[in-house]
Amino acid sequence: MTPPGLSELRLAYKKATDEWVWAIRAEEDLATTDHSMTEMEQWDAAHFAEQDAQKKATEAREAYKDSLRKVNCGI
């Protein structure tokens, strides 16, 4: 039996991870042969968005792991 909230935390982690992957791909798409300043700024912006998405995925992972520890270890 799944404790209340555990499935929601897993889904939140999955969603955050999917968004992180999307952000990585968006950044990768901007690594083009166009070396203009505008393109470089867009690439930098995509990198910062990727970092934000990674942070959200990490936070969601830790919340899910904390809940699993409570269920499995009682801590």
Side-chain angles (χ1 to χ4, degrees), residues 4 16 30 44 51-52 54 59 66:
L30 291 169
D44 285 342
Q51 287 179 325
D52 291 342
Q54 179 186 19
E59 290 170 352
D66 288 345

Side-chain angles (χ1 to χ4, degrees), residues 10-72:
R10 186 187 62 78
L11 290 174
Y13 169 63
K14 171 124 177 61
K15 180 179 183 238
T17 302
D18 289 344
E19 290 172 2
W20 180 25
V21 169
W22 179 86
I24 291 168
R25 290 186 178 139
E27 179 184 2
E28 178 186 39
D29 287 345
L30 291 169
T32 67
T33 56
D34 180 352
H35 302 293
S36 70
M37 185 57 93
T38 301
E39 288 293 320
M40 190 173 76
E41 289 172 356
Q42 291 173 350
W43 187 31
D44 285 342
H47 177 69
F48 297 132
E50 181 272 328
Q51 287 179 325
D52 291 342
Q54 179 186 19
K55 182 179 181 215
K56 289 178 185 176
T58 300
E59 290 170 352
R61 180 180 187 269
E62 291 305 313
Y64 181 46
K65 280 177 55 178
D66 288 345
S67 186
L68 285 172
R69 281 187 192 103
K70 288 177 186 173
V71 169
N72 294 324

